[in-house]
Amino acid sequence: MMSDNAILYSALAILGLPLLSYVLTFFFGKKLPRKGDWIGVGLMGLAELLAIRIFISFWKLGDPTHRVEGSFTWIDLGGFKVDAGVLVDGTTAIMLMVVCTVSFLVHLYSVGYMHGDRRYERFFAFLGFFTFSMLGIVLSNNLFFLYVFWELVGLASYLLIGFFFHKHSAANANKKAFLTNRVGDFGFWLGILVFFTATGTLNYFELFAHVHAGTIKGSLLAWAGVGLFMGCVGKSAQMPLHIWLPDAMEGPTPVSALIHAATMVAAGVYMVARLAPLFGPEAGMVILYVGAITAFIAATIALVKTDIKRVLAFSTLSQLGYMVMALGAGDSVNSMFHLTTHAMFKALLFLGAGSVIHAVHSQEMPDMGGLRKKMPITFVTFVVATLAISGVPFFAGFYSKDGILGSTLAFGMIEGHYLPFILGITAAAVTPFYMFRIVFMTFFGKPRDQEKFDHAHESGWSMTVPLMILGALSICAAGWQTADVGWFSRFMVKYDVPAIAAEFHMEGPAAAEHLDTSHTDDGHGTPADTHAAQADSHAPAGDAHAATADDGHGDAHHDVHHTAHVRAMAMSIGAAFLGILASWWVYHRRKVNTAAIQARLSGVHTVLQGQYFFDEFYAATIYRATLWWAAMCAAFDKYVVDGIVNGTGYLTRMMSWVAGQIDRWVVDGAVNGVAAVLQGAGEGFRRLQTGRVQTYLVYASASVLLLVLVYRVL
C-alpha cells in the first residue's frame, strides 16, 4: 500500500501529465512523427496506471473516511489567505479512475476517428488540456482552486465544442455553451463569496466544520447553497440551463464522449457531492426537484429526435437529472455511484455512435439500418451499453439507478414528496424505449440508404478496442452489488460531519443533533434511512430532519428505506422491460404506425421536437430583453455619452477659434499697431535728418516762427 506522500506525488503527477501532453502537442505537434498523437495516448496511459495504483491503495485500506491533504500558502495578504492544496480520498480515487480511464480510451479512439484532420495535433492538445482541467477540479481541496479549474473546464469545452469552427453551427454552439455556463458560474461565484465572507475559509473540511458549528445557517446558508448549486445547473446542464448540451454535439464525437462521461457535465454532480454538508434542507429541496424535472423532460425529448448524437445528449441530460435528484434526496453516495457507472456506458454509447457515424458519414438514424452484420463489434458493445443505461439487471446501470430510485422513494415516503420519484420512474420507463429505438433503427431492418450501407465497415482496432474495454466495464463496473455493500462502500460514505468538526475543535448548536443522528448508520457508512441521511449530509443547525431522526425512530426509518428500495427495484425492473418490449414492438416488429400517432398527437410531437421551446422562450424574453438593453446602452452611449464628449469637443474648438481671433485681431493688432505707429513715426523723423545745414536753419526758423505765433495767439 502506498504511503501518504507517495499518494500525493502520484496525484500531482496525474495532474501534470495531461498538461505536459497539451504543451508538447500544441507547440511541437506539427514537427513530431504522426503529429504527436502518441504523446497524448502515452502520457494518459501513464496517468491511468498511476490512477489505478491510487485506486488499489484505497481499496486495500478500506477506510472511506481516510484522506490525504497537502497544501502551501499561495496568497497571503493578511486578511486574505489562499492555500494551493491537493485532496486525495476515496471519492478522489474513484474520480481519478473515471476521468483517466475515459480520457485514455478517448485519446486512443481519436487516433482512428480524427485521422486525416487538418488540425489533428491541436485536437489532441485540447484533449489533454480538458483532462488537466477536470483533474484539477477533482484534486482541489478548496473552493478557490475548484473555481479556477471550473473555469478552465469551461474554456476547454469552448475550444473543443467549436473545434470545427469553420462551421457556423459549431461556432454558435461553443459560444452558446460558454455564455450559458457563465450564468450558472455567476451564481456559483456568489455562493463561494458568501461562504468565505461568513467563515473566512475556503477549505472544504473547515467549511463543513463551520456549518456544523452554526457559523453560517438559516436563510444565508440556504441562499449560499443555491448559489453553489447554480454552478452545477450550468456545468451539468440542468433545467433551465440545459440548452447548451444538445448543441454541443457539433463537436467531434470523441469530445462528446469525454464531455458526457467524465469531464464537464460530471463536474457539477461531483461538486455538489463533494460539498454535500454545505447544502441545507431548503437548497436540497431545490436540487431534488430540479433533478427530477430534468430527468423527465430530457427523456421525453429524446423520444422524437432522429440525430443519434442528439438522442444520446438528451439521455445524458436525463441521467444527470437522476444524479442530481439523488443529491437532493440526501444520497450523495448513490449519486456518485451512478456517475461512475454512467461514465462507462455513456462513453461507450458515444464512441459506438461515433463508430457508426465514421462508417456511414451521417448522424441521422433514418439513413442507417441493417448495420449489425457489417459492424458486429460496434453492435454488440452498443447493445451492452444500451442494456446498462436501460437499467436491466446484471448490468452496471441497474444497481446505481436502482439505488437512486430507492432513495428518492424513501424520501417521498418520509417527507411526502412523491413527485420526484414519479418523474424518475417515468423516465426509467421512457429511457429503454428511446435507447432501443436507436438500436433497432441503426442496426436492424433493411438499409435505408443503400449507398451508405455499401460503404460501411467495422472500425479499426484503435476504435474497437476502447469499445470492448468500455463494454466490459458497462457490465462489471458496479460489481453486481449496490453502493452500500459493494466495492463502492470501501471508497465513499456520507461525511461524518461531527468528527470533521472535532478535528477543527468546533462545536456548536448542531453538535448534539448530529451526535444523536449518527447512530442510525447501518455499519456500511450509508444512511440507515434517507431521512437521517439528509439530516447528516445537510448539517444545518436546527434542521427539522435531524430533529425527526432524534425521536428514536431509526429502526422504523430503516424499514421505510428497505421497503422503498424493494418497491423501487421492482418498479424499475418492470419499467425497463416494459420500455424494451414497447420499443421492440414499435420499431422492430413495426406493429404500430408511428406516422399516424405523430399525426394524431401533432401538438405533443411539436412540443417535443421543439424541445419544450426553451430556446424560443429565451429568445423572446431574455435574449430580446438583453438586445433591447444593449440597444438602449448603445443609444445612451451614442447620444448622451458621445454627445457630451463630442459637444464638449465642439465647444472647446469654438472657444479656441474665438480666442484665436481675439488674439489675432485684438492682442496682436494692438501690439502690431503700436509697432506700426512707432515705425511710421521713426520713418518720418528719419526723413527730417537730411544732413544739410541750410535745411536745419529752415526748420529752426520755422519752429521759432511757430512758437512766436502760438505765443501771440495764446
Side-chain angles (χ1 to χ4, degrees):
M1 191 170 64
M2 300 172 66
S3 65
D4 288 353
N5 284 335
I7 290 174
L8 284 177
Y9 289 135
S10 297
L12 289 173
I14 292 172
L15 180 63
L17 286 170
L19 179 61
L20 179 62
S21 170
Y22 163 72
V23 173
L24 293 177
T25 311
F26 186 84
F27 291 102
F28 308 107
K30 289 185 177 180
K31 301 178 181 179
L32 295 172
R34 291 175 47 182
K35 295 189 176 181
D37 59 358
W38 49 273
I39 293 178
V41 176
L43 292 180
M44 280 312 306
L46 182 57
E48 169 73 353
L49 293 176
L50 292 174
I52 292 174
R53 190 182 178 198
I54 293 176
F55 184 86
I56 293 174
S57 180
F58 276 88
W59 167 275
K60 291 180 178 178
L61 182 64
D63 180 8
T65 64
H66 180 72
R67 70 178 191 269
V68 182
E69 281 191 82
S71 62
F72 65 91
T73 300
W74 187 61
I75 295 176
D76 190 353
L77 301 177
F80 178 71
K81 181 180 178 182
V82 176
D83 290 339
V86 173
L87 166 65
V88 184
D89 60 3
T91 305
T92 308
I94 292 170
M95 286 299 297
L96 289 177
M97 276 293 296
V98 169
V99 176
C100 290
T101 299
V102 174
S103 181
F104 168 67
L105 294 176
V106 167
H107 274 76
L108 180 59
Y109 181 93
S110 299
V111 172
Y113 189 87
M114 297 298 292
H115 179 72
D117 188 87
R118 58 179 178 175
R119 290 185 293 273
Y120 185 73
E121 75 288 342
R122 181 161 295 192
F123 179 80
F124 278 89
F126 289 162
L127 283 184
F129 181 68
F130 205 175
T131 305
F132 160 73
S133 303
M134 184 62 195
L135 289 172
I137 290 177
V138 172
L139 291 170
S140 295
N141 76 333
N142 63 75
L143 290 177
F144 184 85
F145 276 94
L146 173 67
Y147 188 79
V148 169
F149 286 106
W150 190 271
E151 294 304 315
L152 289 179
V153 164
L155 172 61
S157 68
Y158 173 85
L159 295 172
L160 284 169
I161 292 171
F163 185 75
F164 299 133
F165 56 82
H166 55 277
K167 296 166 53 181
H168 290 297
S169 56
N172 291 332
N174 70 351
K175 288 185 288 186
K176 185 176 183 179
F178 193 79
L179 294 174
T180 304
N181 273 272
R182 297 286 67 71
V183 177
D185 292 352
F186 179 71
F188 187 37
W189 181 242
L190 290 180
I192 291 174
L193 292 180
V194 171
F195 276 109
F196 178 73
T197 303
T199 64
T201 184
L202 293 168
N203 181 272
Y204 297 157
F205 293 93
E206 289 184 32
L207 285 170
F208 299 164
H210 277 288
V211 171
H212 178 74
T215 306
I216 177 172
K217 57 185 178 180
S219 59
L220 186 62
L221 176 64
W223 283 109
V226 171
L228 291 182
F229 178 61
M230 282 295 296
C232 174
V233 172
K235 278 289 185 290
S236 291
Q238 297 297 287
M239 303 288 176
L241 300 182
H242 66 288
I243 56 173
W244 67 268
L245 191 58
D247 291 358
M249 298 303 96
E250 292 293 338
T253 302
V255 173
S256 301
L258 195 57
I259 288 177
H260 287 250
T263 52
M264 189 163 177
V265 298
V269 175
Y270 168 78
M271 180 271 290
V272 177
R274 170 62 80 185
L275 305 178
L278 302 185
F279 298 92
E282 298 86 357
M285 197 63 67
V286 173
I287 295 171
L288 175 68
Y289 275 91
V290 167
I293 293 170
T294 302
F296 173 78
I297 289 180
T300 56
I301 295 174
L303 289 170
V304 300
K305 295 299 178 182
T306 57
D307 183 322
I308 188 171
K309 286 179 65 176
R310 281 188 175 267
V311 176
L312 294 179
F314 283 106
S315 78
T316 299
L317 283 174
S318 185
Q319 298 303 308
L320 290 169
Y322 277 112
M323 300 174 206
V324 172
M325 184 172 66
L327 292 169
D331 191 1
S332 58
V333 174
N334 271 304
S335 177
M336 286 297 297
F337 192 37
H338 194 54
L339 185 152
T340 303
T341 60
H342 174 264
M344 304 307 156
F345 56 73
K346 184 48 61 70
L348 176 54
L349 287 169
F350 268 105
L351 296 185
S355 181
V356 172
I357 295 168
H358 190 261
V360 302
H361 302 289
S362 174
Q363 296 181 192
E364 289 293 324
M365 292 186 291
D367 294 340
M368 304 172 189
L371 293 175
R372 70 183 187 281
K373 294 181 180 179
K374 281 209 164 188
M375 308 180 69
I377 297 176
T378 301
F379 165 65
V380 171
T381 54
F382 197 93
V383 170
V384 167
T386 303
L387 291 169
I389 196 174
S390 299
V392 174
F394 307 112
F395 290 85
F398 165 73
Y399 301 94
S400 54
K401 184 186 287 188
D402 176 62
I404 290 175
L405 291 173
S407 296
T408 308
L409 179 57
F411 185 90
M413 294 170 68
I414 295 170
E415 300 293 338
H417 291 272
Y418 285 99
L419 181 59
F421 174 76
I422 294 172
L423 295 175
I425 198 66
T426 304
V430 173
T431 299
F433 181 83
Y434 68 71
M435 286 305 304
F436 273 90
R437 171 174 173 259
I438 298 177
V439 172
F440 294 132
M441 291 184 69
T442 303
F443 297 102
F444 287 84
K446 296 180 180 180
R448 300 178 185 86
D449 189 317
Q450 191 63 41
E451 183 180 355
K452 288 182 170 58
F453 177 81
D454 292 339
H455 287 87
H457 57 83
E458 185 61 271
S459 302
W461 71 269
S462 66
M463 295 173 65
T464 54
V465 168
L467 296 181
M468 290 184 284
I469 294 173
L470 290 169
L473 291 173
S474 297
I475 297 173
C476 66
W480 299 285
Q481 290 180 312
T482 55
D484 57 336
V485 296
W487 67 268
F488 204 79
S489 64
R490 301 175 67 89
F491 290 86
M492 183 178 179
V493 294
K494 63 186 179 67
Y495 288 111
D496 186 354
V497 180
I500 294 172
E503 290 181 30
F504 296 96
H505 308 290
M506 290 186 189
E507 298 294 342
E513 295 178 13
H514 288 282
L515 289 174
D516 288 342
T517 58
S518 63
H519 74 277
T520 60
D521 196 288
D522 65 0
H524 298 287
T526 56
D529 58 82
T530 306
H531 191 75
Q534 185 169 0
D536 270 356
S537 63
H538 290 163
D543 187 356
H545 300 296
T548 305
D550 289 342
D551 291 340
H553 300 301
D555 292 338
H557 291 156
H558 177 76
D559 292 339
V560 170
H561 186 80
H562 177 72
T563 302
H565 177 77
V566 172
R567 292 178 180 176
M569 180 176 64
M571 285 187 280
S572 65
I573 293 174
F577 283 104
L578 181 63
I580 295 172
L581 180 62
S583 186
W584 173 78
W585 188 256
V586 174
Y587 293 103
H588 185 58
R589 294 297 303 275
R590 299 188 179 278
K591 296 294 185 178
V592 176
N593 188 343
T594 55
I597 294 178
Q598 178 178 327
R600 180 172 297 181
L601 301 176
S602 58
V604 175
H605 182 269
T606 301
V607 171
L608 296 180
Q609 194 64 255
Q611 300 169 194
Y612 289 88
F613 302 111
F614 276 92
D615 283 299
E616 288 77 5
F617 174 75
Y618 292 153
T621 55
I622 297 175
Y623 300 166
R624 179 173 293 181
T626 303
L627 292 173
W628 175 83
W629 178 248
M632 292 295 294
C633 290
F636 181 83
D637 180 70
K638 180 178 181 180
Y639 296 109
V640 178
V641 178
D642 287 354
I644 293 174
V645 173
N646 295 335
T648 302
Y650 293 144
L651 180 62
T652 302
R653 289 172 59 188
M654 178 65 71
M655 293 178 63
S656 298
W657 182 83
V658 172
Q661 297 302 311
I662 293 174
D663 180 71
R664 179 180 180 183
W665 300 108
V666 178
V667 178
D668 289 353
V671 173
N672 294 335
V674 171
V677 170
L678 293 177
Q679 184 178 10
E683 182 67 23
F685 285 117
R686 182 182 66 78
R687 292 176 180 176
L688 294 177
Q689 297 178 354
T690 62
R692 296 175 182 176
V693 175
Q694 57 270 31
T695 302
Y696 296 150
L697 290 174
V698 172
Y699 292 157
S701 299
S703 299
V704 171
L705 291 174
L706 180 61
L707 291 173
V708 171
L709 178 62
V710 171
Y711 177 77
R712 289 292 183 183
V713 172
L714 296 177

